[in-house]
Amino acid sequence: MSLDLKIFYFFNNLASKNPIFDALIIFFADYLGYFLIIFFLLTLFFGSFRRSQKISIFFAAFSSMIIARFGIVSLIRFFYHRPRPFEAYDVHVLITNNEFSFPSGHAALFFAMATAVYFYNKKLGLWFFAAAILMGFGRVVSGVHYPSDIIGGAVIGILTSYLIFLAILKNKIKN
């Protein structure tokens, strides 16, 4: 058995033992993302950033999220078809999904957002990273992703956001 599968089973075996814990995991895995997007938009709207910073943060986060999730992840999934854990093994299933497993689109999207926020506000960015980690943990425990899916998505999101930030920075220096 691979290390990825061993780690998956370790965390997935936490599911279906306590209904309150299961509800929390389902919240992390399926609903936390909506709250993060709303929190991000409220932070931009009501935050103490200058108008030009708000535009820059929004552009960096939005473009990173779109490119990471709907560009890179979709391209990888087009060529690589890894079945979800609940499709391949006997596991505890709290939620389902009908797309391929690797890489995690949720992880790519929300790690891209967290990275973009981090480049403009370190403290706030760390909170977004913590939320993205909780989301990834929830998706492993709930049976829809392997740990390597989350790591792969996180790397895609972080690198995409970093490259977008460098492009924005280079453009500002040039102007």
Side-chain angles (χ1 to χ4, degrees):
M1 183 183 304
S2 71
L3 180 60
D4 194 30
L5 195 55
K6 285 180 185 177
I7 295 170
F8 168 78
Y9 272 121
F10 175 80
F11 288 117
N12 182 251
N13 283 331
L14 300 172
S16 301
K17 303 218 183 325
N18 180 307
I20 295 171
F21 180 76
D22 288 351
L24 189 62
I25 291 300
I26 292 168
F27 172 78
F28 289 156
D30 254 1
Y31 302 105
L32 181 58
Y34 297 112
F35 287 91
L36 280 177
I37 290 172
I38 291 168
F39 182 68
F40 171 72
L41 294 173
L42 288 174
T43 300
L44 277 183
F45 189 73
F46 294 112
S48 60
F49 299 107
R50 292 185 318 274
R51 178 171 162 72
S52 62
Q53 280 183 310
K54 289 179 180 185
I55 293 168
S56 187
I57 295 168
F58 179 79
F59 176 76
F62 183 74
S63 59
S64 299
M65 292 164 66
I66 296 301
I67 292 168
R69 171 58 186 97
F70 299 105
I72 299 169
V73 168
S74 294
L75 183 66
I76 292 170
R77 286 182 179 176
F78 182 76
F79 291 106
Y80 181 65
H81 304 143
R82 185 180 195 186
R84 300 252 178 203
F86 67 84
E87 295 172 327
Y89 300 99
D90 183 28
V91 301
H92 301 283
V93 180
L94 299 180
I95 61 175
T96 61
N97 193 308
N98 60 355
E99 294 180 331
F100 295 114
S101 185
F102 182 85
S104 168
H106 280 77
L109 189 118
F110 289 104
F111 274 93
M113 178 195 283
T115 304
V117 171
Y118 181 81
F119 285 135
Y120 292 93
N121 184 312
K122 306 281 187 253
K123 188 176 180 180
L124 187 59
L126 291 175
W127 283 105
F128 276 88
F129 274 119
I133 290 167
L134 282 174
M135 184 182 305
F137 173 74
R139 295 189 68 78
V140 172
V141 173
S142 64
V144 293
H145 279 296
Y146 301 97
S148 61
D149 299 339
I150 303 300
I151 293 168
V155 167
I156 289 167
I158 291 167
L159 287 177
T160 303
S161 191
Y162 176 71
L163 293 173
I164 295 289
F165 180 74
L166 285 180
I168 291 170
L169 194 60
K170 184 177 179 181
N171 190 40
K172 282 185 181 182
I173 291 171
K174 195 162 92 173
N175 292 333

